[in-house]
Amino acid sequence: MAAHELTAEIRTEKGTRPMRRLRATGKIPAVLYSGGKEATAISVESRVMNKILHSGSHVVVLKLGGQDKQALIKDVQFDA
């Protein structure tokens, strides 16, 4: 089975208001952890992420900054 593709953008803003504006545009906040490096705040398309989650897949190809990386979805919060 081929891994799903998920396009991500690095986000610089943090806090409640910026995240509400982000969600209003159809994107959701996420965090990328990578082997001992500092965590990276990213945003992904909500519609695509929901499709991936409903398919039961945990491995995705993350397109970030012109690079393709394999990523593992480890935790999801639906209503904090």
Side-chain angles (χ1 to χ4, degrees):
M1 183 168 117
H4 294 275
E5 291 185 357
L6 186 60
T7 304
E9 299 173 358
I10 295 178
R11 61 182 168 91
T12 55
E13 293 183 318
K14 295 177 182 170
T16 303
R17 284 186 181 170
M19 293 308 105
R20 284 185 182 160
R21 286 192 297 267
L22 182 71
R23 288 184 186 99
T25 64
K27 297 182 179 182
I28 55 175
V31 178
L32 177 65
Y33 298 99
S34 179
K37 297 178 185 175
E38 196 169 320
T40 305
I42 60 173
S43 63
V44 296
E45 291 285 334
S46 174
R47 182 180 47 83
V48 177
M49 185 67 171
N50 284 332
K51 191 182 292 185
I52 291 170
L53 292 174
H54 288 290
S55 74
S57 180
H58 294 282
V59 177
V60 296
V61 175
L62 191 64
K63 295 180 175 269
L64 178 65
Q67 294 180 330
D68 294 351
K69 300 177 182 181
Q70 267 197 328
L72 177 67
I73 300 172
K74 291 185 87 173
D75 187 31
V76 178
Q77 292 181 357
F78 288 98
D79 190 4

